[in-house]
Amino acid sequence: MVSSTFLRLLIICTQIALQIIITININITHAQLQPPAIPSAVCDNSKGNYTNSSTYQKNLNDLLSSLLSNNNGYGFYNSSRGQNSDTAFSIGLCRGDLKSDACGKCLSDATYALPGDCPNQKEAIGWSPNCMLRYANRSMYGQLEVNPAYYAWNTENVSSASLDAFNQELTALFKRLGSEAAGGGDLRKFAVGNASVGSNSNITIYGLAQCTPDVSEGECAACIDGAFGDVPSCCSGALGVRIVTPSCNIRYEISPFFDTTNETPLTSPP
Ligand SMILES: *[C@@H]1O[C@H](CO)[C@@H](O)[C@H](O)[C@H]1NC(C)=O
Ligand SMILES: *[C@@H]1O[C@H](CO)[C@@H](O)[C@H](O)[C@H]1NC(C)=O
Ligand SMILES: *[C@@H]1O[C@H](CO)[C@@H](O)[C@H](O)[C@H]1NC(C)=O
Ligand SMILES: *[C@@H]1O[C@H](CO)[C@@H](O)[C@H](O)[C@H]1NC(C)=O
Ligand SMILES: *[C@@H]1O[C@H](CO)[C@@H](O)[C@H](O)[C@H]1NC(C)=O
Ligand SMILES: *[C@@H]1O[C@H](CO)[C@@H](O)[C@H](O)[C@H]1NC(C)=O
């Protein structure tokens, strides 16, 4: 079955170096804790096309249909299929607080949707709020990659009176989350946390930082630092921001959006 959620992906085909900026209004005006839908797919058609019924297509289909069984038990998926130049490689990553059934559903939806969103393209990447899926005809495992990046932010802003204090707390929060996520080890690099703005302010910032666990501690810290470093230019003062790249992602909101009860390790699907 094809998921309607992922089918509604916004499709942007672009050169990998081109950064894409899209504004999506995150609805946080009510107290719902549902994560907003910020789906995206980037199809890089400069990396080559496959033909229908080619060996690459067969390998890719086999790879995607078996991807879920190749995971590290902590929401990271990595595998390949085929030989020589027809080999298809894939990496999947779930948000670190996702339970394994929700993680499997997210990636399963993505494996159906992404080839349809990027038809006949050897290399593609897509992010939904809960997971990332990418595939290519090259090995990506262990490679730090910060492009393409996808930005989404809340169009409501922090009041100018609170902006300096907000930015100060935000910077300190991500400094902490960056080093915590980077130090998470070989299986999962993920951290969440919160920070209060001002002594008598009612703003609490909730932040999340995550890397794919195949990059090193230093690469992860640099990736998160770089993503956070884009906040002033993409979305200074926004009440919520999400920035995703192939190797890491960050997000903050002023209401809770992550599951603090599930920071314990994900269990492998049976
Ligand atoms: C991937 O496919 C492209 C285009 O067909 C080709 O130029 C490139 O060499 C391939 N990459 C690898 C690692 O085989
Ligand atoms: C792949 O196909 C697209 C769409 O037909 C085309 O624009 C693009 O140039 C092709 N890429 C390569 C590397 O041949
Ligand atoms: C490949 O097959 C799909 C589905 O059957 C079709 O929509 C698409 O046009 C075909 N692509 C090419 C390049 O022939
Ligand atoms: C990830 O996948 C690649 C390609 O199949 C493989 O070479 C590598 O050993 C895998 N790494 C892990 C930790 O499974
Ligand atoms: C928030 O700030 C941005 C950038 O300064 C501005 O473009 C946008 O209109 C502001 N949003 C609102 C709701 O005022
Ligand atoms: C903020 O984080 C602390 C741990 O650093 C936690 O104890 C507290 O419950 C969190 N507050 C909220 C409102 O989530």
Side-chain angles (χ1 to χ4, degrees), residues 50-53 57 119-120:
Y50 59 81
T51 52
N52 283 342
S53 308
Q57 184 180 47
N120 297 91

Side-chain angles (χ1 to χ4, degrees), residues 8-240:
R8 277 189 252 111
L9 282 178
L10 185 53
I11 304 164
I12 298 126
C13 298
T14 184
Q15 306 238 338
I16 209 125
L18 188 68
Q19 293 202 334
I20 297 162
I21 300 195
I22 296 163
T23 310
I24 292 172
N25 193 357
I26 304 170
N27 182 2
I28 53 138
T29 51
H30 48 83
Q32 274 295 328
L33 305 186
Q34 288 297 325
I38 313 170
S40 72
V42 175
C43 317
D44 184 0
N45 71 18
S46 70
K47 296 296 180 72
N49 299 311
Y50 59 81
T51 52
N52 283 342
S53 308
S54 60
T55 308
Y56 184 80
Q57 184 180 47
K58 184 185 179 306
N59 287 337
L60 181 60
N61 288 345
D62 288 353
L63 172 67
L64 294 179
S65 60
S66 63
L67 180 71
L68 290 190
S69 52
N70 292 298
N71 75 85
N72 76 351
Y74 295 80
F76 180 66
Y77 295 69
N78 167 56
S79 52
S80 65
R81 272 298 168 98
Q83 277 160 1
N84 305 323
S85 63
D86 288 319
T87 311
F89 300 83
S90 182
I91 280 181
L93 180 72
C94 285
R95 221 174 76 178
D97 59 333
L98 217 58
K99 293 192 166 68
S100 64
D101 53 349
C103 174
K105 170 79 166 69
C106 187
L107 281 169
S108 165
D109 289 350
T111 61
Y112 285 103
L114 196 55
D117 290 330
C118 302
N120 297 91
Q121 298 201 359
K122 285 187 176 175
E123 178 155 347
I125 184 166
W127 295 272
S128 73
N130 288 338
C131 67
M132 171 189 77
L133 176 69
R134 50 192 304 226
Y135 55 76
N137 68 330
R138 62 189 175 91
S139 174
M140 299 165 287
Y141 185 84
Q143 309 283 322
L144 175 69
E145 292 183 36
V146 296
N147 285 306
Y150 173 87
Y151 303 79
W153 61 89
N154 190 317
T155 54
E156 287 183 60
N157 297 317
V158 181
S159 71
S160 51
S162 305
L163 186 60
D164 285 350
F166 186 88
N167 283 339
Q168 204 175 331
E169 291 303 332
L170 190 63
T171 303
L173 177 62
F174 274 94
K175 193 171 181 291
R176 184 156 59 82
L177 294 179
S179 77
E180 195 184 317
D186 290 344
L187 294 172
R188 183 170 65 175
K189 291 185 166 61
F190 173 74
V192 293
N194 63 69
S196 299
V197 180
S199 50
N200 53 6
S201 158
N202 54 4
I203 302 178
T204 300
I205 309 171
Y206 297 84
L208 176 156
Q210 183 171 22
C211 297
T212 58
D214 57 329
V215 298
S216 72
E217 177 169 359
E219 288 170 333
C220 175
C223 189
I224 289 170
D225 206 43
F228 184 70
D230 284 348
V231 171
S233 53
C234 80
C235 1
S236 181
L239 284 181

